[in-house]
Amino acid sequence: MPYTAIQFPGLGGYAPGSLRHLVAADFRVKELLSEVDQAAREYGVPPVSVTLTDPDGPDIEELAQTPTRLHLASLASGLALYAALVARGRAGDVLVGHSTGELTALAAAGCLSAYDAARVICEREIALAEGNFAGGLTALRIGARRAEHLCGAVGGWSLQPSLFNAPQQTVVSGSAEELPLLEKAARALGIQATRLLVVYPHHNPVLAGAARQVARSTTTYRIQDPLVRVFSPLLGQPVRTAGDVRRIINRHLTDPVFFVEALRELHASHGVGRFLELGPRAILTPCAAESLPPDVELLGPPPGTTEGCAILDELTGQRSGGPAPSVTEATAAPAPPAPRSPAPPAPAALPAPSTASSRRLPERDVLVAELRGTFADALGYPEEVFTEEAHLEADLGIASVKRTELLVGLLDRYDLPTPPADLRVRDYNTLPKLADLMLLLAAEDTDPGESGRAA
């Protein structure tokens, strides 16, 4: 019988209202949320339990405007889902976290409490804010060696391949001044480049000062040897002692994440033949599919729902007996999502498409239908889950990197220009909004003042 690895995502671990039924069904979930909320209060951060139990809470783009709260919500979500998974008798054989998800894995393994893990995150965000490390992360659809060469060609002191997620997905960290230069060069070479929802250059040596501050501020935290096996992509080895845990806390801001190597090591040397992703959307499962042999069993959150009970039902093959619908019910006849409150900023008003653009693209309603079919075919989702109101990430769990990949394919299909750098593509988060974006790009491309595809 192959061993099972439980994967914990980082920022992708949040979805509004994902724990609303688990809180009622499992007392331990409520206790974990209370611990994280207590830490948040001590640092002047609003509680995260509200966002995780209210389906009308802020979506991931909106919550990313307050990074501490988003990281805490992802931590709490992962720990709550794992507690519920253990209660169903499916603890797994080894835990592995991605980026901030490593802290979730350590807390799930008993290395530190949920309260202390939350305090590590809060101390980290304080150190980053005080250090004025403006920057971010950009996912490139290329392998590690090409990413290193591209960083070298662009130059600059901050650009660094930092997260090695899959054979053809490398994430580069860098400063706010240099990342746009990297993205421009990547697009000029036809390389997909997607800016992620972070405002600091995580996993980069430029954060050494902040890392030292986190190490000092967390010295007194109680750390223990893991009670469950943990494999660290940051250390490149199993976590065996409290000393290993301390190394991860001290270095997780500066050291790269070798996730693809961790997956392969777990499979080849540790007998892991099943990888289960514990989160509201499939972030790590596509990376595992790209990195591992086809006979490895991959279990991820199902499409059409981000609700915790329904996700656990699908992953374990068990019904919780709670009020959450089954995955079949959720995907066969999805109800239109309730309006979100507060609503995220709307994209800028769009000009009416020109006559020339109408000849290039079909009418808007037809275009939306074509997008629905394209997304359904590419993702294996039933078309009916793509309602006009369905948020592609918050409701359907489609990661920003995957959305960008599909959008690039659509732009190539219709010979449309690349969106300008100052346009926030993430605001176009439903199929009708994506259709409007494509019509906007078509209209601008036929403007007499414009020529050719944007860089």
Side-chain angles (χ1 to χ4, degrees), residues 195 258 323 364 450:
R195 184 71 68 93
F258 296 101
R364 183 177 184 275
E450 300 291 334

Side-chain angles (χ1 to χ4, degrees), residues 59-393:
D59 62 25
I60 192 167
E61 291 96 347
E62 186 178 351
L63 202 61
Q65 303 304 310
T66 52
T68 306
R69 202 174 183 206
L70 178 55
H71 286 291
L72 290 177
S74 298
L75 168 74
S77 175
L79 292 178
L81 287 168
Y82 185 68
L85 189 71
V86 171
R88 297 186 184 206
R90 302 293 182 87
D93 301 293
V94 59
L95 311 182
V96 57
H98 180 271
S99 189
T100 303
E102 285 218 43
L103 297 177
T104 310
L106 294 176
C111 298
L112 66 168
S113 66
Y115 169 72
D116 280 342
R119 289 202 294 161
V120 171
I121 288 174
C122 291
E123 290 291 348
R124 181 186 76 183
E125 296 305 308
I126 289 173
L128 289 170
E130 291 179 349
N132 193 28
F133 300 104
L137 298 172
T138 294
L140 301 176
R141 191 64 181 160
I142 53 176
R145 187 174 296 276
R146 283 192 71 193
E148 290 172 0
H149 290 164
L150 182 60
C151 290
V154 173
W157 62 275
S158 70
L159 296 177
Q160 178 90 19
S162 296
L163 297 102
F164 303 89
N165 293 342
Q168 291 299 313
Q169 187 188 121
T170 308
V171 179
V172 172
S173 60
S175 68
E177 296 77 22
E178 293 178 352
L179 269 186
L181 301 178
L182 175 82
E183 293 161 354
K184 183 177 181 180
R187 290 171 183 138
L189 295 170
I191 299 170
Q192 179 188 321
T194 306
R195 184 71 68 93
L196 304 184
L197 288 172
V198 294
V199 295
Y200 302 113
H202 290 266
H203 306 289
N204 191 308
V206 302
L207 301 182
R212 289 192 294 269
Q213 183 174 329
V214 171
R216 289 193 299 269
S217 62
T218 62
T219 300
T220 61
Y221 292 8
R222 183 184 179 191
I223 298 174
Q224 304 183 95
D225 296 348
L227 303 176
V228 180
R229 291 174 65 197
V230 181
F231 193 96
S232 168
L234 189 141
L235 300 180
Q237 65 180 47
V239 178
R240 296 186 175 91
T241 67
D244 291 334
V245 178
R246 171 51 64 185
R247 288 168 62 204
I248 293 171
I249 292 173
N250 291 356
R251 292 164 42 183
H252 77 280
L253 279 178
T254 57
D255 287 17
V257 175
F258 296 101
F259 192 69
V260 60
E261 287 85 350
L263 296 179
R264 290 172 170 172
E265 176 72 11
L266 285 169
H267 173 62
S269 302
H270 296 267
V272 175
R274 180 186 300 110
F275 289 81
L276 186 155
E277 181 174 359
L278 208 55
R281 56 179 62 83
I283 302 294
L284 304 179
T285 302
C287 296
E290 188 178 331
S291 306
L292 297 168
D295 60 338
V296 175
E297 185 179 2
L298 304 178
L299 301 172
T305 180
T306 56
E307 202 287 313
C309 285
I311 290 169
L312 291 172
D313 289 347
E314 175 74 3
L315 295 180
T316 64
Q318 302 174 4
R319 285 305 307 275
S320 62
S326 69
V327 174
T328 301
E329 294 166 344
T331 57
R340 301 189 178 279
S341 176
L350 299 170
S354 68
T355 303
S357 70
S358 297
R359 289 197 299 269
R360 174 178 293 177
L361 292 176
E363 295 293 330
R364 183 177 184 275
D365 290 347
V366 176
L367 181 57
V368 171
E370 290 186 6
L371 295 180
R372 183 177 293 113
T374 297
F375 272 67
D377 290 344
L379 299 164
Y381 289 14
E383 285 195 21
E384 52 265 29
V385 307
F386 292 98
T387 64
E388 293 208 348
E389 301 88 353
H391 189 291
L392 296 174
E393 182 157 3

